[in-house]
Amino acid sequence: QVQLVESGGGLVQAGDSLRLSCAASGGLFSKYTMGWFRQAPGKEREFVGAIRWIGYNAYYVDYTDSVKGRFTISRDNAKSTAYLQMNRLTPEDTATYYCAASAQSGSASVAGLYDYWGQGTQVTVSS
């Protein structure tokens, strides 16, 4: 059983930055695909990005188009923690952000791939 705990959300102004953390316990963290999703009020949960283990010490990172160039996903396997660095935030980024972990193969952008989810952390960006 893997437990995920997000932190780092908050209220910021447009143009500001935030870094979200996702601390994992249990499981073999280094081999999990770690995904980030977000859900705004009245909207469906959407894929933000993911970092996938592709063998040895190599990882592949992918993002949804709306955050490319602004958001960066990274991980520290020694700390069993994944990060989502968010720069140049806009009000459209306001949502509850969730991290998720998967040991399965498949499309990292699909929520159904993930076995474990965190509780979510709120990010609010004011204009």
Side-chain angles (χ1 to χ4, degrees):
Q1 187 76 9
V2 175
Q3 293 185 324
L4 304 175
V5 178
E6 299 105 334
S7 61
L11 172 63
V12 297
Q13 292 186 332
D16 286 350
S17 298
L18 275 177
R19 188 177 80 157
L20 306 184
S21 299
C22 174
S25 59
L28 188 57
F29 178 81
S30 63
K31 294 187 177 180
Y32 278 107
T33 293
M34 298 300 297
W36 288 93
F37 290 77
R38 65 187 180 185
Q39 187 166 18
K43 295 186 177 181
E44 294 187 353
R45 188 170 299 191
E46 68 168 342
F47 172 73
V48 175
I51 182 166
R52 176 193 290 274
W53 179 70
I54 57 174
Y56 298 103
N57 290 321
Y59 292 87
Y60 175 76
V61 186
D62 192 22
Y63 304 92
T64 193
D65 286 346
S66 63
V67 308
K68 284 181 179 177
R70 299 189 300 124
F71 290 12
T72 302
I73 294 173
S74 61
R75 64 195 297 159
D76 184 337
N77 291 335
K79 297 181 178 179
S80 296
T81 301
Y83 303 97
L84 177 64
Q85 176 67 45
M86 305 184 293
N87 298 329
R88 303 198 309 276
L89 285 160
T90 73
E92 289 68 35
D93 295 316
T94 295
T96 301
Y97 283 71
Y98 299 89
C99 69
S102 175
Q104 305 180 59
S105 59
S107 174
S109 64
V110 177
L113 180 78
Y114 295 86
D115 308 296
Y116 308 102
W117 291 82
Q119 82 287 354
T121 186
Q122 178 67 37
V123 172
T124 303
V125 185
S126 64
S127 58

